[in-house]
Amino acid sequence: MTGAASMAQTRAMLDMLDPSDSSAQCIDRLQTLARLKARIAALEVEEIADLEQHRHEEEAARGVPKSRRGHGLAAEIGLARGQSPARGARCLQVATVLSQDMPKTFNSLALGQLDEERVQAVVKEVSWLAPEHRTAVDELIAGQFEGLGPRKLAGKVRAHAERLDQHGALERNEIAYSERRVTVRPAAYGMAWVTALVS
């Protein structure tokens, strides 16, 4: 199947076979597609969470020690998605946190109220919290996503997280402080990227 044929098939599935007849219809379709992308991201979260559960059960049945179960799973997820193991690990982390600790945030993704980028920002900011604190943050931010981009939403989540676990926040700040650095890496046309992580 060619790319054009695949696109035509997808358009037919979405009842969008005919070209848009106005700019308003284009906007409506873009909104529909954005919601669909979020819902597909939610389906991916479910599949990854199911995969992790199946893998742990299969390895438990084979007698694999608990500390070794799921080893290499992030790389497999990355490969399945055509991405790096690091991105696979991020997807696995998002799926684990949403499925176990943040059902309301997951529901917002499934309803198309949140996109994948903002969900990743939320999970990144709660990754260091205990499960019960993640669930508390989930309750606090539920339904408060309107008009917030990834950075503003991350800031709001971070504030809740630091208030819920002040001791953990101090430890996290100390770790961040110890990781100050300046790095240089090559860029195109004889240029270089200089990155500074400073306090």
Side-chain angles (χ1 to χ4, degrees):
M1 179 184 293
T2 66
S6 177
M7 287 289 290
Q9 187 181 55
T10 304
R11 282 181 174 277
M13 287 169 57
L14 299 176
D15 196 25
M16 293 169 52
L17 198 53
D18 295 329
S20 302
D21 54 20
S22 68
S23 60
Q25 188 178 30
C26 287
I27 294 296
D28 289 342
R29 286 184 173 187
L30 285 172
Q31 290 173 335
T32 298
L33 290 169
R35 285 192 296 271
L36 281 172
K37 284 197 293 185
R39 290 170 183 164
I40 288 169
L43 287 173
E44 281 193 340
V45 164
E46 279 189 337
E47 285 301 318
I48 291 170
D50 288 347
L51 171 61
E52 183 179 29
Q53 182 180 343
H54 290 315
R55 180 61 53 85
H56 280 259
E57 289 171 355
E58 291 161 3
E59 291 180 345
R62 293 201 312 267
V64 176
K66 193 171 184 179
S67 61
R68 296 283 300 166
R69 291 174 201 165
H71 184 72
L73 188 56
E76 291 181 50
I77 292 167
L79 184 64
R81 288 170 52 95
Q83 297 176 327
S84 68
R87 286 184 181 271
R90 194 178 310 149
C91 291
L92 179 57
Q93 180 189 39
V94 168
T96 301
V97 169
L98 291 186
S99 63
Q100 294 180 6
D101 306 324
M102 304 189 78
K104 293 192 173 182
T105 302
F106 172 77
N107 191 52
S108 294
L109 179 65
L111 290 172
Q113 297 167 352
L114 266 181
D115 59 23
E116 191 173 15
E117 185 181 8
R118 288 187 290 167
V119 165
Q120 287 176 349
V122 169
V123 171
K124 182 180 178 183
E125 294 301 333
V126 300
S127 61
W128 57 280
L129 289 175
E132 62 271 19
H133 287 149
R134 290 176 186 163
T135 303
V137 171
D138 188 48
E139 294 279 349
L140 288 165
I141 64 172
Q144 298 186 32
F145 309 118
E146 186 103 22
L148 294 177
R151 290 179 68 180
K152 284 190 176 180
L153 178 57
K156 190 170 190 171
V157 171
R158 189 181 315 117
H160 286 310
E162 290 176 349
R163 184 178 52 77
L164 286 166
D165 186 357
Q166 295 177 11
H167 181 70
L170 283 173
E171 286 183 352
R172 193 165 180 250
N173 287 343
E174 287 172 7
I175 292 169
Y177 187 78
S178 71
E179 292 176 347
R180 294 173 301 164
R181 64 188 178 277
V182 176
T183 56
V184 181
R185 57 191 173 90
Y189 309 111
M191 305 293 282
W193 291 102
V194 179
T195 306
L197 182 64
V198 297
S199 58

